[in-house]
Amino acid sequence: MPTPKIFVDACFGKETPYTPVWMMRQAGRYLPEYMAVRAQAGNFLNLCHNPEMACEVTLQPIDIVGVDAAILFSDILVIPDEMGMDLSFVKGEGPKFSDPITNESDIDKLIGGEEAASKLTYVYDTIKLIKTKLAEDKALIGFTGSPWTLATYMIEGQGTKTYNICKKMMYSNPELLHKILAKVTEVVKLYMEKQIQSGIDVVQIFDSWAAAIEPNKYDEFSWKYMVEIAEYLKEKYPQTPIIMFPKGVPAFLDKVYGNFDVFGVDWSTPMELAREKLGDKYVLQGNMEPCRLYSKEATTEAVEDIQSVMQGKRHIFNLGHGILPDVPVEHAKHFINECHRVSKK
Ligand code: CP3
């Protein structure tokens, strides 16, 4: 019998001895050990491309803060990078693509499907290496950005506050936006399939920029593509749980549908509301406001509140978005310990 993984059991809504916990962006700059490996790599993309180093930073939060699952160290933007867009990370400014997509011939030039998915070998090698080192009772989460979140970077060329270039396309040339989304969706399906074949235990789809879309248009431009990916994977790999994380969409909760296992609740959505609307159908993950990590008292208060709503049933603890780089490691450990303490049966 293989060793059970509490995290995978919890994703399927099974009873577990305590509620498992991990943190979005748990492998990152708040850890001095991460900064040391990144310095050795020279820059962030080199780190993503180097399986030994990426494996090392993937495992750090397991050893240092005691989370129940590791998340593959990589970035969502390696996908458009391998589709032929030239990605760089400019210090202090975040990700940049030198030639954003503006028209149909730009889309036709992108490398698609199997050819693009096959170029991400360093990710698959990293997964295989992690699986040789990760304790058997811990799960490895693989991930992708949603087609919409990836498209925002591909169209804007960088992060944006207004999304005006992609929204101009959404309202004035929706067919063009759908063409990008469809092409990205095909790559993501095969990319996630290869991640599963390489050994990941759970899939998370990050729709970090979901809130940029008006609720009436959210299904058309984002959710339906995420569901298409989930359904493709579920049909072939029903034993691999899928987590959907659309950030900041409380107005869409009534309309959520699709074949997946866990709904990631962001910090702006009250857990009670999510439980009322979705708790019977999906396991819920979340959702402490990440800035509470600056205070141990504020952390304990939120963990107790979330526990009183979820009561250790059909729940995975997490932050409601990523941990920030200036959080003391001690406080991150406190969060994990508190999640385990309040939920222990
Ligand atoms: O620990 C983990 O969660 C795994 C690794 C991970 C990273 N990025 C590493 C990273 C994951 C899951 C991501 C996903 C990602 N990347 C998202 C979706 C998740 C979310 O937070 O909503 C997005 C939108 C990106 C795009 C991206 N990558 C941005 C905007 C930035 C710059 C932001 C910043 O904080 O500077 C990155 C870089 C990045 N990805 C870093 C890390 C650890 C920081 C790089 C560094 O300076 O070392």
Side-chain angles (χ1 to χ4, degrees):
M1 272 285 280
T3 313
K5 297 182 203 300
I6 286 185
F7 187 80
V8 172
D9 284 349
C11 288
F12 285 130
K14 292 185 193 155
E15 277 250 4
T16 51
Y18 57 88
T19 303
V21 55
W22 68 287
M23 295 182 293
M24 286 186 269
R25 291 290 185 94
Q26 66 188 16
R29 287 173 297 195
Y30 73 104
L31 289 174
E33 293 85 350
Y34 167 83
M35 294 311 287
V37 180
R38 199 185 70 164
Q40 218 183 318
N43 65 48
F44 172 68
L45 269 183
N46 285 348
L47 182 50
C48 294
H49 293 160
N50 183 307
E52 282 76 29
M53 290 184 182
C55 171
E56 186 177 346
V57 297
T58 299
L59 298 174
Q60 283 173 348
I62 295 262
D63 300 333
I64 301 166
V65 292
V67 289
D68 296 293
I71 179 162
L72 164 71
F73 189 83
S74 184
D75 198 83
I76 59 168
L77 299 177
V78 296
I79 301 167
D81 191 31
E82 297 302 350
M83 290 177 78
M85 297 190 72
D86 172 39
L87 172 65
S88 59
F89 279 86
V90 182
K91 217 179 160 87
E93 290 176 53
K96 284 229 175 355
F97 290 109
S98 50
D99 286 308
I101 294 172
T102 60
N103 57 44
E104 189 140 4
S105 91
D106 292 339
I107 305 172
D108 293 336
K109 274 187 247 152
L110 289 174
I111 300 166
E114 180 67 30
E115 192 185 348
S118 301
K119 291 174 73 196
L120 288 143
T121 48
Y122 47 91
V123 175
Y124 314 132
D125 290 344
T126 301
I127 293 169
K128 289 176 198 154
L129 188 60
I130 296 166
K131 289 294 284 191
T132 66
K133 306 205 171 173
L134 183 65
E136 262 193 60
D137 62 339
K138 307 278 181 180
L140 177 61
I141 303 166
F143 68 90
T144 177
S146 69
W148 160 254
T149 288
L150 292 172
T152 64
Y153 290 96
M154 296 164 78
I155 296 165
E156 303 271 345
Q158 58 192 10
T160 167
K161 287 203 168 71
T162 56
Y163 304 86
N164 54 311
I165 311 174
C166 18
K167 288 197 190 181
K168 190 170 172 187
M169 195 184 286
M170 180 181 288
Y171 295 112
S172 58
N173 193 353
E175 299 77 22
L176 195 66
L177 181 51
H178 279 303
K179 191 167 170 171
I180 300 171
L181 294 167
K183 192 153 184 174
V184 173
T185 298
E186 288 314 306
V187 177
V188 167
K189 282 183 193 165
L190 300 172
Y191 177 47
M192 295 320 296
E193 178 164 19
K194 288 177 194 295
Q195 288 195 22
I196 293 171
Q197 289 169 348
S198 303
I200 60 155
D201 302 300
V202 178
V203 169
Q204 175 155 319
I205 305 180
F206 285 91
D207 194 11
S208 305
W209 310 136
I213 306 178
E214 61 170 296
N216 282 338
K217 293 280 183 189
Y218 182 63
D219 185 39
E220 178 185 346
F221 288 101
S222 188
W223 188 255
K224 77 165 190 207
Y225 291 100
M226 294 167 69
V227 169
E228 187 182 325
I229 295 161
E231 298 202 329
Y232 174 82
L233 297 173
K234 269 285 153 202
E235 188 158 313
K236 291 187 151 183
Y237 307 96
Q239 78 289 2
T240 307
I242 299 179
I243 307 171
M244 301 284 232
F245 178 66
K247 181 170 178 286
V249 293
F252 186 72
L253 295 188
D254 280 322
K255 298 183 188 154
V256 164
Y257 66 93
N259 187 6
F260 62 93
D261 306 283
V262 182
F263 185 86
V265 183
D266 74 281
W267 62 266
S268 73
T269 303
M271 211 66 190
E272 290 90 333
L273 184 71
R275 197 197 58 194
E276 188 188 305
K277 307 263 185 210
L278 299 173
D280 292 339
K281 197 160 173 209
Y282 303 108
V283 169
L284 300 179
Q285 172 176 279
N287 76 339
M288 188 174 88
E289 148 56 296
C291 292
R292 281 190 180 255
L293 285 175
Y294 292 121
S295 152
K296 285 191 180 180
E297 292 71 30
T299 295
T300 295
E301 181 187 61
V303 169
E304 287 177 346
D305 281 353
I306 295 168
Q307 175 65 15
S308 75
V309 175
M310 296 310 298
Q311 301 195 12
K313 293 192 188 82
R314 299 173 60 73
H315 180 223
I316 292 162
F317 273 112
N318 202 320
L319 306 174
H321 200 195
I323 183 171
L324 293 166
D326 59 344
V327 166
V329 179
E330 210 41 54
H331 292 198
K333 284 187 197 166
H334 175 77
F335 170 61
I336 305 302
N337 292 340
E338 289 293 78
C339 292
H340 288 159
R341 176 183 66 81
V342 301
S343 66
K344 211 171 179 87
K345 286 171 189 141

